[in-house]
Amino acid sequence: MASSLDDDEILNDDYYSLLNVRREATQEELKVAYRRLCMLYHPDKHRDPELKRQAEQLFNLVHEAYQVLREPQSRAIYDIYGKRGLDVDGWEVVERKRSPAEIREEYERLQKEREERRLQQRTNPKGTISVGVDATDLFDQYEEDYEEMAGGGVPHVEINKMHISQSIEAPLSTKDTAILSGSLSTHNGNGGGTINLAFRRVTSANGWGELEVGAGDTQGPLLGLKVFRTLSSRCFATAQCGLQFSSRGVRPGVTTMLARHLDKNTMGYLQWRWGIQSAMNTSILGIPHTFVMMSYQYKFQDDDQTKIKGSIKSGFFGTVVEYGAERKISRHSVLGATVSVGVPQGVSLKIKLNRASQTYFFPIHLTDQLLPSAVFYATVGPLVFYLAIQQLIIRPYVRAQKEEDLDKQREGSASNIARKKQEAESAVLLMQESVRRIIETEESRMGLIILNAWYGKFVTDNSRKHERAKVIDVTVPLQCLVKDSKLILTEAAKSGIPGFYDPCVGEEKSLKVLYQFRGVMHQVLSGDAEPLRIPKQSHRIDADT
């Protein structure tokens, strides 16, 4: 799968990869790496005018990297924000004698000013469309009632409710935000709408408060207050109270919730409701709506961000068990399905599609009873349907979209890649004499000889034989890095190493090395950002291979 890529990764040089040092490298390690590359690329070592010009360019690039990393202040900014951080507007006025912490604070101040200038351009629109489906005839119908009706054998499925809401945000400052929202709803032929205006203030890094006023054609004016607070790294709480004004008087309502991470994947909730908001659309007169909920969520370590989740909720209204899954089906879309089984609710299937800032929700009520057949079809049906849609529509669409994005990235970075390729070829020419001496030294001691090395995209999966491998020969650059019969590459993208460049922008890359140590053949395949240390006994090629 193609790795993510943005313009910064193309345009910015990785100084650590260029010097081939760890991100935690000491000043002494930086100095050793810098001196080694200076000896290799110093312009005075080359008499040919073209080689001298190429050496000067590479020498200046190495010098730039060293100057940034040798100063604690500039290195602190580079480590946090990359090369762009050194070029931010106003950075030139920061005193270089300040500590890294002070420079970081100053940089964040400059970034904050830029962010404030963009505040008025952001509205963060959000929308939700919910379509409720009554499909109880699929499981609860009585066959004798339909025998005398034309077409009575076909279950009746209808849309019995719809809800549409939209909201926009207007940042007033970095802490204050105004939110305007409206909604339209209809249920069994009766409908109405509401409009709300809320003001939210971030009171600290751990909490915020929100004041809301609203009105509707079916309900009177509404006044509400909501507070959120992080109590610890594993626990948070919310509290909400409201007053609804109508011809019958004032109706108060209170909701409180305490949530805690019980472990990495499990959340526990304790919620209490009373008044105008009733839990799960049930109403128990005189008894506060109190319930306890335990939820579990597990996220797979895959590119599609697959999650499975389940919860159990129990209170005065009954008990409900929910389980489901969600998965990313495209860059901006997430599809999920949840099965809800409870008393007295029955069995429901809830399908949700998130597309950017829009949410499409389809709750399908299957039965008022706990029927095993309804639970089975609610569980298996969406899974079979998703697998079919994924094979026929989603995968071909995502594959085509990915290829289109890669083509755009290649077109947008073509000139930069051509420059990087030219720099790599120039570096290889400048390395030839040093590599010749290194090979002579290693051969005399039966040391490390790089026979062949390739960097780029390898096709090893039989199902992808139609794809073409995109690799470049990096034998000379790797041999040039050999010292005392050892080759050490740090944990960084290898395209920044002198003599390397990216032959397949936006795609996964690897480094394949065939080398000889003490007269024995070795081979290793390493990921792009993985550290590599050779020789190793595990790389040895058996005589039978």
Side-chain angles (χ1 to χ4, degrees):
M1 185 172 183
S3 58
S4 60
L5 186 77
D6 55 31
D7 293 340
D8 292 340
E9 294 178 22
I10 297 175
L11 299 177
N12 288 348
D13 298 305
D14 186 342
Y15 290 154
Y16 291 99
S17 180
L18 178 64
L19 299 179
N20 193 32
V21 294
R22 302 174 298 120
R23 297 191 71 87
E24 302 82 13
T26 64
Q27 289 294 327
E28 184 61 29
E29 290 174 331
L30 289 172
K31 188 180 296 183
V32 170
Y34 174 63
R35 287 178 175 175
R36 189 162 186 260
L37 291 176
C38 283
M39 293 177 61
L40 181 63
Y41 297 132
H42 202 287
D44 293 344
K45 295 182 60 177
H46 305 278
R47 296 182 179 179
D48 182 89
E50 182 61 23
L51 288 179
K52 191 179 185 71
R53 183 187 64 81
Q54 295 171 352
E56 186 174 357
Q57 291 178 351
L58 292 169
F59 181 84
N60 291 336
L61 186 59
V62 170
H63 181 72
E64 176 186 325
Y66 178 66
Q67 289 300 317
V68 170
L69 299 183
R70 70 187 289 266
E71 295 184 8
Q73 294 86 358
S74 59
R75 183 176 180 177
I77 295 297
Y78 179 79
D79 286 347
I80 300 169
Y81 304 104
K83 191 175 180 181
R84 176 184 290 182
L86 303 173
D87 302 326
V88 87
D89 296 339
W91 166 247
E92 64 276 0
V93 303
V94 178
E95 297 179 14
R96 299 291 177 168
K97 295 182 180 180
R98 294 186 181 184
S99 66
E102 291 174 329
I103 289 185
R104 176 174 180 172
E105 181 180 350
E106 179 68 11
Y107 178 86
E108 290 177 345
R109 183 189 67 79
L110 294 170
Q111 287 288 75
K112 185 177 179 180
E113 290 179 356
R114 296 176 62 190
E115 185 67 22
E116 288 177 347
R117 290 195 295 265
R118 293 196 297 260
L119 274 177
Q120 300 305 322
Q121 302 175 3
R122 302 188 317 187
T123 57
N124 193 24
K126 296 179 181 179
T128 300
I129 297 178
S130 177
V131 179
V133 179
D134 184 356
T136 53
D137 267 3
L138 291 173
F139 300 96
D140 287 349
Q141 67 171 330
Y142 291 94
E143 295 183 1
E144 57 270 20
D145 294 341
Y146 292 87
E147 290 178 354
E148 299 179 357
M149 298 175 58
V154 179
H156 182 60
V157 178
E158 65 177 3
I159 296 176
N160 61 351
K161 57 183 176 180
M162 291 187 65
H163 176 81
I164 300 175
S165 64
Q166 187 73 30
S167 68
I168 57 173
E169 297 181 359
L172 306 177
S173 68
T174 55
K175 292 186 177 181
D176 299 323
T177 303
I179 305 170
L180 179 64
S181 61
S183 64
L184 294 172
S185 301
T186 177
H187 188 192
N188 292 330
N190 299 318
T194 62
I195 185 169
N196 299 284
L197 179 62
F199 295 92
R200 178 180 296 173
R201 159 159 283 202
V202 178
T203 55
S204 67
N206 296 321
W208 50 266
E210 184 176 291
L211 178 65
E212 181 179 16
V213 293
D217 57 353
T218 59
Q219 299 176 346
L222 176 69
L223 178 65
L225 177 65
K226 185 175 182 180
V227 178
F228 172 88
R229 181 73 180 178
T230 300
L231 304 179
S232 68
S233 60
R234 299 168 61 89
C235 184
F236 67 88
T238 63
Q240 183 175 356
C241 61
L243 295 174
Q244 188 173 38
F245 302 89
S246 66
S247 58
R248 299 179 181 179
V250 180
R251 299 175 58 195
V254 178
T255 301
T256 60
M257 184 183 72
L258 177 67
R260 178 178 175 82
H261 286 275
L262 302 181
D263 60 30
K264 180 180 179 182
N265 300 311
T266 309
M267 283 286 293
Y269 297 88
L270 178 62
Q271 183 163 327
W272 179 79
R273 287 184 179 183
W274 172 81
I276 56 177
Q277 291 184 330
S278 59
M280 300 183 60
N281 297 324
T282 62
S283 178
I284 306 176
L285 296 177
I287 302 177
H289 300 286
T290 303
F291 67 85
V292 176
M293 183 172 72
M294 187 80 67
S295 72
Y296 176 87
Q297 176 175 288
Y298 181 81
K299 182 177 180 180
F300 291 91
Q301 301 299 319
D302 59 358
D303 295 327
D304 295 323
Q305 302 177 10
T306 305
K307 298 178 184 178
I308 57 173
K309 47 190 177 182
S311 67
I312 180 170
K313 183 186 295 186
S314 182
F316 290 110
F317 54 80
T319 300
V320 175
V321 175
E322 292 188 343
Y323 57 90
E326 67 177 40
R327 191 173 194 181
K328 187 176 181 181
I329 58 175
S330 68
R331 179 185 302 176
H332 303 293
S333 301
V334 177
L335 180 64
T338 302
V339 178
S340 178
V341 182
V343 177
Q345 178 184 350
V347 181
S348 297
L349 171 63
K350 303 173 183 177
I351 299 174
K352 184 171 68 172
L353 173 65
N354 288 327
R355 173 68 178 174
S357 60
Q358 301 295 313
T359 301
Y360 304 90
F361 187 52
F362 303 92
I364 305 173
H365 188 46
L366 300 177
T367 175
D368 296 322
Q369 307 175 52
L370 295 183
L371 299 179
S373 58
V375 176
F376 174 79
Y377 285 110
T379 304
V380 177
L383 181 60
V384 173
F385 180 76
Y386 170 75
L387 293 176
I389 293 297
Q390 185 186 44
Q391 292 294 332
L392 299 176
I393 299 177
I394 296 177
R395 284 188 176 177
Y397 171 79
V398 171
R399 190 182 301 115
Q401 190 71 30
K402 198 172 296 179
E403 288 297 328
E404 183 179 346
D405 291 343
L406 286 176
D407 290 340
K408 290 181 179 179
Q409 289 177 357
R410 295 188 188 105
E411 291 175 4
S413 58
S415 60
N416 186 71
I417 294 175
R419 177 178 62 85
K420 290 289 187 182
K421 181 179 180 180
Q422 184 178 4
E423 289 179 357
E425 293 172 348
S426 299
V428 170
L429 289 176
L430 297 171
M431 294 174 183
Q432 295 292 342
E433 183 61 28
S434 296
V435 167
R436 185 185 62 79
R437 293 196 299 267
I438 292 172
I439 291 177
E440 290 178 355
T441 302
E442 293 298 322
E443 285 179 340
S444 66
R445 62 173 71 165
M446 295 286 288
L448 177 60
I449 305 295
I450 307 296
L451 300 177
N452 282 298
W454 303 272
Y455 173 70
K457 175 186 175 183
F458 296 88
V459 179
T460 57
D461 190 348
N462 290 333
S463 63
R464 299 164 55 193
K465 282 186 175 181
H466 65 281
E467 298 184 24
R468 183 172 58 89
K470 304 172 185 176
V471 297
I472 58 173
D473 189 334
V474 292
T475 306
V476 172
L478 284 189
Q479 186 69 67
C480 191
L481 293 174
V482 173
K483 184 179 181 182
D484 299 328
S485 297
K486 294 179 182 179
L487 173 63
I488 301 175
L489 300 181
T490 60
E491 189 175 357
K494 296 174 177 60
S495 58
I497 298 175
F500 283 60
Y501 69 93
D502 191 344
C504 45
V505 173
E507 301 183 67
E508 286 187 356
K509 291 169 281 292
S510 303
L511 175 64
K512 187 174 183 180
V513 185
L514 179 67
Y515 64 93
Q516 181 176 296
F517 180 68
R518 294 179 180 173
V520 179
M521 301 287 286
H522 296 68
Q523 183 172 281
V524 61
L525 181 66
S526 173
D528 188 22
E530 294 177 1
L532 178 64
R533 186 183 183 96
I534 59 177
K536 277 189 176 182
Q537 184 70 23
S538 59
H539 300 165
R540 184 167 178 168
I541 301 177
D542 296 333
D544 297 336
T545 304

